[in-house]
């Protein structure tokens, strides 16, 4: 593709500047890669119920 070739062409109709801007905006948004969602972190309440330490759940059932 040469630098003078348009990226897209209007085949029928006469779009307004606003319509062309909306089309270009939609193309730009669709061409971006989707951002990966951030991993959810457990709340302090959820973490408080998880036994920690080298033996984890096994140690939770033993008397202290």
């Amino acid at each position: 593709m040469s630098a003078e070739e348009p990226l897209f062409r209007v085949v029928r109709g006469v779009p307004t500047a606003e319509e062309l801007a909306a089309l270009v905006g939609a193309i730009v948004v669709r061409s971006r890669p989707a951002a990966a969602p951030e991993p959810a972190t457990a709340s302090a309440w959820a973490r408080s119920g998880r036994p920690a330490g080298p033996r984890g759940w096994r140690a939770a059932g033993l008397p202290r």
Side-chain angles (χ1 to χ4, degrees):
M1 179 187 307
S2 70
E4 287 126 18
E5 284 186 39
L7 294 175
F8 58 91
R9 181 174 54 139
V10 176
V11 179
R12 187 176 4 170
V14 181
T16 64
E18 291 83 14
E19 291 171 335
L20 282 177
L23 176 63
V24 170
I27 291 171
V28 167
V29 168
R30 295 286 297 178
S31 65
R32 291 184 188 165
E38 294 183 20
T41 58
S43 67
W45 180 84
R47 282 192 308 268
S48 69
R50 296 181 186 152
R55 295 185 57 204
W57 288 104
R58 290 183 190 201
L62 299 175
R64 295 184 182 185

